[in-house]
Amino acid sequence: MVARVLHVINGEHYAGAERVQDLLVSQLPSLGFDVAFACLKTGQFPTMRRSQDAPLHDLRMAGRMDLRPVARLTRFLRDEDYQLVHAHTPRTALLAAIASAAARVPMVYHVHSPASRDSTRGMRNRINAQIERLCLRRASAAIAVSRSLARDTIAGGVDPAKVFVVPNGVPGRPVRPPRDSGRLDWTLGTIALFRPRKGTEVLLKALASLRAAGLPVRLLAVGGFETSRHEHELKQTAAEMGVADAVEWTGFTRDVDRELHRMDLFVLPSLFGEGMPMVVLEAMAAGVPVVATHVEGTSEAIRDGLDGLIVEPGNPADLASAVREFIEARVDWSATSHNAVERHAERFSDQAMAQGTAEVYRRVLNLD
């Protein structure tokens, strides 16, 4: 029997959570599931996704409080004979919870990040956290992408027996060539949908500190900006810190591998709100040593001192000090690169993520 699963997604961006959705729908058919998308917002996902063979249905909402798509989603679940609906955000969970109850179809909810601290907008965080908490009562299972998110979910009142940890995963990829020991210059890299919680201003201050100390470092910043206002703020910070000419802003790219191979170190200076960052896993798979902050699932992926270095968030001096550990060879770049590639292959592949998700589906649908 092939079970039919509908993933209800926002669709506005193509960042970490959206890449999880895309990879899952690419992998799940080989594990016995017929999968499709229902998209609630216009945006990047429909054109950027790699899983173009999977059906994508337009259930567009006119606004945040528009619940009219619930009726269409309910009919769709019934008419197309879906056995399971999988929601990925508080917005999609709200619609999926109502529709799944009406259609008598079980719901799985994917916890990608902590809703209560997902952004710098406190009121929206509180509303989303409350919606998520209410909808999780309807869910037959919750998939948390890290142990820290699983603990948060259980602390919010969800039955621990319904919470499953399935770490994010990414495909294997070409490993970055070894760094030439004779090179003096270093390229720091970061990949993100740049928004306040990513802490990019902390990285810019660390970059300024390193260059002031006479170290030949540059920053390669890959990705788009959440808002034009934040773009202006970051570029103004770079100018004020005197590093504008040492930063390359590439914008969004499909060719992540090419950009990773230009980096000597991958730096993720997030302040909060990370579940299990896909970009960290991609850097590991490519053999690019990681310097990242101790937030949520990041430190579950990176073993401090083995696969990279972990520092406290919001501290430019600590971030700069960790980078210097590599530059001044107190941490072995080659050994760290090798360890990261091995750890990715063992724990954080896209196949492992899909297999873990399929196991949750089988439990919910009693397919074992």
Side-chain angles (χ1 to χ4, degrees), residues 100-335:
S100 64
R104 298 184 179 180
V105 171
M107 180 179 87
V108 169
Y109 182 64
H110 215 121
V111 187
H112 291 279
S113 61
S116 62
R117 51 187 186 279
D118 187 53
S119 75
T120 54
R121 293 167 290 192
M123 179 60 72
R124 178 170 292 186
N125 288 348
R126 289 190 289 274
I127 293 170
N128 283 341
Q130 185 62 25
I131 291 171
E132 183 177 88
R133 192 174 299 115
L134 291 171
C135 293
L136 277 167
R137 296 178 183 175
R138 163 65 192 159
S140 298
I143 295 175
V145 302
S146 65
R147 295 190 301 274
S148 63
L149 282 183
R151 290 192 294 270
D152 277 1
T153 303
I154 292 167
V158 179
D159 181 355
K162 293 168 54 175
V163 180
F164 302 89
V165 177
V166 179
N168 285 344
V170 300
R173 56 208 332 113
V175 175
R176 183 201 187 283
R179 179 178 160 80
D180 182 353
S181 59
R183 271 185 56 207
L184 297 178
D185 61 301
W186 286 75
T187 298
L188 312 182
T190 193
I191 302 174
L193 171 61
F194 294 107
R195 44 187 156 180
R197 70 173 171 88
K198 292 297 181 179
T200 311
E201 69 282 357
V202 178
L203 176 54
L204 292 171
K205 291 174 183 177
L207 176 69
S209 171
L210 291 165
R211 289 177 63 85
L215 297 171
V217 293
R218 297 181 58 81
L219 175 62
L220 177 64
V222 180
F225 299 87
E226 185 178 48
T227 64
S228 57
R229 176 180 177 180
H230 191 56
E231 177 180 7
H232 173 75
E233 290 170 349
L234 287 180
K235 291 182 178 180
Q236 184 176 40
T237 297
E240 290 171 354
M241 301 300 299
V243 296
D245 61 345
V247 181
E248 178 183 347
W249 304 97
T250 72
F252 178 84
T253 180
R254 286 180 178 271
D255 195 351
V256 173
D257 290 340
R258 183 177 71 88
E259 301 302 340
L260 283 170
H261 283 207
R262 298 174 63 197
M263 301 174 187
D264 297 303
L265 294 175
F266 179 83
V267 185
L268 189 68
S270 300
L271 302 175
F272 55 86
E274 297 288 359
M276 175 69 72
M278 296 287 276
V279 289
V280 166
L281 305 183
E282 288 168 336
M284 293 171 71
V288 182
V290 174
V291 176
T293 47
H294 183 46
V295 291
E296 279 85 32
T298 304
S299 54
E300 295 177 28
I302 297 295
R303 298 169 298 179
D304 187 30
L306 291 175
D307 318 299
L309 295 178
I310 297 292
V311 301
E312 290 304 311
N315 191 321
D318 280 359
L319 194 62
S321 178
V323 170
R324 289 188 75 148
E325 292 289 301
F326 283 99
I327 293 175
E328 296 172 357
R330 291 190 291 270
V331 173
D332 189 298
W333 188 96
S334 296

